[in-house]
Amino acid sequence: MPTTYELVIYGKVQHVGFREKIENIGRLLNINGVIYNYKDGTVRILANFDSERKRRLFKELIKELEKVDELIKIDKIEEKKLNAYIEFPDGINRISADDLVELNKKLDEGVKYIKLIFGVLEDIKKGQDEIKEILKKIEQKL
């Protein structure tokens, strides 16, 4: 019989597409469970593992996410073996406490990143303008 674990992931893991990536890893490894954002900023996973190897691989793949997605930052992963077996539907499934609140938080995050992008674009434009001025001065000297 599989063993049920609770995994608590700390870091920048909410509102960055993290749960969807965990769902994909769960499908890949044929792991059943649930995933949800917790009010303290962590993401919690309750999942069944039919082998220690699969549990270790799941955790390793979670840690790899911050290497392939710069929005994700994982500070630590805590795990606790539960003394009870919980039967879950197939796959890892997302639980939302309030879809509208979640959507608004994601929109707020999106606006923040758009502003960052526009700031970087403005810096690039300033750099281009400076390069154009330098090129004009070089051209005048030739």
Side-chain angles (χ1 to χ4, degrees):
M1 175 174 281
T3 305
T4 304
Y5 281 83
E6 177 187 39
L7 297 152
V8 181
I9 297 93
Y10 294 84
K12 179 67 177 146
V13 291
Q14 289 192 7
H15 314 297
V16 292
F18 182 75
R19 290 180 297 166
E20 178 184 5
K21 288 175 175 41
I22 298 301
E23 288 172 325
N24 293 335
I25 293 170
R27 274 193 293 282
L28 174 73
L29 297 176
N30 198 30
I31 295 170
N32 299 331
V34 294
I35 183 169
Y36 58 96
N37 288 339
Y38 195 66
K39 60 186 173 188
D40 63 2
T42 61
V43 168
R44 309 275 173 119
I45 302 168
L46 295 172
N48 293 328
F49 299 97
D50 53 16
S51 73
E52 286 298 308
R53 181 173 179 245
K54 193 180 278 190
R55 182 186 55 77
R56 284 192 309 271
L57 179 58
F58 183 68
K59 282 179 54 182
E60 288 172 21
L61 290 172
I62 290 172
K63 291 174 187 175
E64 290 292 315
L65 289 176
E66 68 181 343
K67 295 177 183 172
V68 298
D69 188 328
E70 61 189 38
L71 297 180
I72 295 172
K73 173 71 174 97
I74 298 171
D75 295 331
K76 71 177 178 175
I77 300 174
E78 289 180 353
E79 69 177 311
K80 181 169 89 174
K81 183 178 179 179
L82 302 182
N83 292 328
Y85 170 74
I86 303 170
E87 189 169 339
F88 298 109
D90 290 345
I92 293 189
N93 300 283
R94 206 177 315 189
I95 297 176
S96 283
D98 185 338
D99 288 334
L100 187 56
V101 170
E102 286 291 313
L103 177 62
N104 287 330
K105 287 179 181 178
K106 286 182 193 313
L107 289 171
D108 290 344
E109 277 298 301
V111 168
K112 181 173 84 175
Y113 288 114
I114 288 170
K115 287 179 180 179
L116 286 172
I117 289 168
F118 280 126
V120 169
L121 290 175
E122 186 63 34
D123 290 344
I124 290 171
K125 180 160 180 1
K126 287 178 187 174
Q128 288 175 334
D129 291 343
E130 290 172 8
I131 291 171
K132 285 179 187 176
E133 288 299 316
I134 292 169
L135 288 174
K136 281 181 186 177
K137 289 178 183 177
I138 291 172
E139 197 174 70
Q140 288 172 354
K141 290 184 179 185
L142 294 176

